[in-house]
Amino acid sequence: MELREFRYQAGDLPLPLEVLEARMGYPAGQCPDYLRLLIREALQWAEEHSEIQGGLVVLEPVSLRKETHTLMLGGVELEIHKILFGQLRKSDAMALFLCTAGPAVGAQAEELMRRGDFLEGYILDLIGSEIVEVAMDQIQDTLERELALTGLHITNRFSPGYCGWRVAEQQKLFSFFPKGFCGVTLTEHSLMQPIKSVSGIIGIGRNVRRKAYACQACEMAHCIYRGRVVTE
Amino acid sequence: MEHLLEQIAHCIEFGKVNQASPYPPEMKGQPGADEWTLTALQQGFSPEDILQHGFIRGMDRVGEKFAAHQIFVPQMLLSAKAMTTAMRHLQPFFQSGEAKKRGTFVIGTVAGDLHEIGKNLAGMMIAGNGWDVIDLGKDVKTERFAETVRQHPGCAVGLSALLTTTMENMADTVNALKREFPMLKILIGGAPVNAAFCTEIGADFYAANPQTAVQYLKEISVGWSK
């Protein structure tokens, strides 16, 4: 089990204004100019204050139990929900991941909202989420490219808290990483701190595929990941 | 006279907080909801008229435009800021009992969930529509909701969640609150929930967006009079 580490500068990540505007709901070209300016300023602040790092652990073999929708990895039993089980069942190996944008962006967004600067806080919060997702896209793309050389493919990535996978399972997931890895810890409810962090699992195998998000398998109509395009 | 209340509604609709605020640019240098509200009070408008024909009218328009996808969350937040800033001038009248609100609305993100932007937005929209909003924050345990309801008989409650897995906590909270307060109206909202889930867990209303929450609360507060 080898732990791979990744570090990024936010300024090097693809974070076009148009994408951020779209995340806020604006159709192309319809975001007011003053908001664009605010987004640009917030993005610059976030680029200067983010500490983006992540890690990846690949584990095999994988043992899946259909009756219980569980997955045995390195002696640890992960209780994944049936939605996730269906997505991962053809995997021969699994990659567990963790990625964070660091504490500053989330904390500043919270502070702005606390003092009544709702708009500025919202924009920074959204940028923080986007940074960590785009950084994780980079990690996932790297994994996909490397595995392709050996004829292997990957699935989409899935996180505790979504697709029915309980947040409490995050405790098990974190047991595969050194304590405090990337500066990320879990609260008593198994939520990550800093809040702008993601963790989860990616299936690996000859018969799996990464696809445009598997939203048809899920009933979560307003999910933040619904319709998110895979960066292939 | 009416012109003054319309000015307040207009400033809230377009998110013009005060004269110093640079947003929206086309209103730069003009008075905002803050100054117009103060002027209205000085000219003898009642706090309830300002609330009803200024704030609520403005926030209604914001909600309608949001529901019709004519504006999006950032503009709604500017409107909410304009409203909350101006609302400070009315607070003393509500606190003294000289003016009445529609009722009390208790809102929070359920236990195990740290996401609160949607909840904050709903809370601000509801406050702008004349409700006294008690925001319990995020990761709120059932007992804290129950304790607050005990302190505010007749209130309504809003529960929010973002994670699919905290939906269970939402169900537990609804169950416990309904057991202790069978007449309590409970609204739920958030990315993973829907109308079917609302029915399944015994909540009263699923709010797909802040505006539908406002509409529902208007319906259940028909007894309220100014």
Side-chain angles (χ1 to χ4, degrees):
Chain A
M1 183 178 93
E2 186 198 350
L3 173 65
R4 294 182 60 188
E5 296 183 46
F6 301 83
R7 280 178 190 273
Y8 299 99
Q9 297 295 321
D12 296 334
L13 296 175
L15 293 161
L17 284 181
E18 295 73 22
V19 171
L20 295 170
E21 291 164 19
R23 299 269 184 257
M24 292 176 196
Y26 291 100
Q30 289 190 29
C31 181
D33 288 342
Y34 69 95
L35 279 176
R36 293 200 103 198
L37 190 63
L38 275 179
I39 297 168
R40 193 175 289 132
E41 286 171 2
L43 184 57
Q44 191 178 345
W45 192 95
E47 286 175 351
E48 288 165 8
H49 292 83
S50 295
E51 298 164 59
I52 309 164
Q53 41 186 326
L56 202 61
V57 177
V58 176
L59 294 128
E60 57 182 336
V62 176
S63 160
L64 290 140
R65 284 187 62 193
K66 192 178 177 186
E67 308 75 43
T68 50
H69 299 126
T70 53
L71 164 63
M72 193 61 113
L73 266 186
V76 176
E77 187 177 52
L78 296 175
E79 296 168 39
I80 54 177
H81 185 269
K82 64 178 176 186
I83 295 175
L84 214 51
F85 188 89
Q87 300 295 320
L88 296 173
R89 67 191 165 85
K90 291 180 183 169
S91 306
D92 304 314
M94 299 287 173
L96 303 179
F97 64 84
L98 180 58
C99 186
T100 182
V105 177
Q108 178 70 2
E110 204 163 319
E111 170 61 18
L112 285 166
M113 281 191 255
R114 195 192 56 75
R115 66 182 196 217
D117 293 328
F118 310 124
L119 175 60
E120 292 82 352
Y122 166 76
I123 291 173
L124 198 56
D125 183 272
L126 187 137
I127 288 172
S129 298
E130 193 63 16
I131 284 174
V132 72
E133 292 292 348
V134 170
M136 195 52 228
D137 285 344
Q138 303 287 311
I139 295 174
Q140 193 171 2
D141 290 348
T142 302
L143 178 71
E144 186 173 34
R145 274 196 305 272
E146 291 174 359
L147 290 171
L149 299 174
T150 60
L152 292 171
H153 305 283
I154 63 169
T155 66
N156 294 42
R157 59 178 189 260
F158 303 96
S159 297
Y162 298 92
C163 298
W165 191 12
R166 296 167 65 94
V167 175
E169 290 280 301
Q170 205 140 239
Q171 299 284 355
K172 296 177 190 171
L173 202 149
F174 268 58
S175 70
F176 292 95
F177 295 95
K179 196 170 183 186
F181 181 65
C182 294
V184 182
T185 55
L186 294 177
T187 67
E188 62 167 323
H189 288 297
S190 304
L191 294 170
M192 286 179 287
Q193 293 284 8
I195 193 163
K196 296 303 170 195
S197 305
V198 292
S199 71
I201 194 165
I202 299 167
I204 298 170
R206 294 198 181 279
N207 300 311
V208 299
R209 291 290 183 275
R210 188 180 182 187
K211 45 196 170 188
Y213 235 88
C215 297
Q216 69 282 2
C218 180
E219 295 171 345
M220 209 169 146
H222 304 288
C223 176
I224 55 173
Y225 294 113
R226 183 165 282 270
R228 194 182 174 93
V229 177
V230 174
T231 57
E232 284 180 300
Chain B
M1 293 281 274
E2 172 65 15
H3 170 73
L4 203 47
L5 299 180
E6 176 52 34
Q7 288 288 4
I8 296 171
H10 184 78
C11 287
I12 288 175
E13 179 182 354
F14 290 96
K16 178 66 176 168
V17 179
N18 54 28
Q19 191 145 15
S21 168
Y23 313 120
E26 56 272 24
M27 292 172 77
K28 196 172 178 180
Q30 296 174 19
D34 191 29
E35 289 88 2
W36 286 121
T37 300
L38 205 53
T39 305
L41 284 170
Q42 285 163 352
Q43 291 197 10
F45 283 92
S46 74
E48 277 138 348
D49 273 345
I50 295 171
L51 179 70
Q52 186 68 38
H53 303 294
F55 291 18
I56 294 178
R57 186 189 291 173
M59 289 306 273
D60 273 350
R61 291 176 192 162
V62 171
E64 285 161 14
K65 285 160 92 175
F66 182 75
H69 306 293
Q70 291 168 355
I71 61 167
F72 299 93
V73 171
Q75 288 144 296
M76 208 176 189
L77 289 168
L78 274 181
S79 293
K81 182 167 183 175
M83 184 276 297
T84 51
T85 303
M87 183 71 89
R88 283 202 278 261
H89 298 302
L90 304 190
Q91 284 305 350
F93 299 95
F94 293 121
Q95 277 161 5
S96 69
E98 198 178 322
K100 280 196 172 61
K101 288 204 172 178
R102 289 191 161 173
T104 302
F105 185 68
V106 178
I107 190 167
T109 305
V110 297
D113 206 321
L114 295 178
H115 301 85
E116 60 175 351
I117 287 182
K119 180 265 296 171
N120 289 347
L121 196 54
M124 287 187 282
M125 287 293 290
I126 291 163
N129 275 273
W131 287 74
D132 189 16
V133 173
I134 299 175
D135 187 347
L136 299 179
K138 57 197 174 186
D139 191 14
V140 182
K141 295 183 174 61
T142 299
E143 182 47 33
R144 181 125 186 269
F145 280 111
E147 191 185 313
T148 311
V149 174
R150 278 179 219 121
Q151 289 165 0
H152 300 276
C155 70
V157 170
L159 306 177
S160 171
L162 180 77
L163 305 172
T164 52
T165 49
T166 49
M167 289 163 70
E168 289 173 32
N169 298 345
M170 185 180 265
D172 292 343
T173 300
V174 169
N175 192 23
L177 290 177
K178 282 288 186 181
R179 219 172 25 237
E180 185 174 346
F181 314 101
M183 301 305 288
L184 175 69
K185 297 293 184 193
I186 303 177
L187 292 74
I188 66 165
V193 303
N194 55 30
F197 179 71
C198 175
T199 306
E200 183 188 320
I201 66 172
D204 296 283
F205 185 74
Y206 161 63
N209 58 52
Q211 183 63 4
T212 57
V214 166
Q215 289 301 336
Y216 176 75
L217 288 170
K218 270 184 190 167
E219 287 166 21
I220 64 167
S221 65
V222 286
W224 180 81
S225 66
K226 62 173 193 169

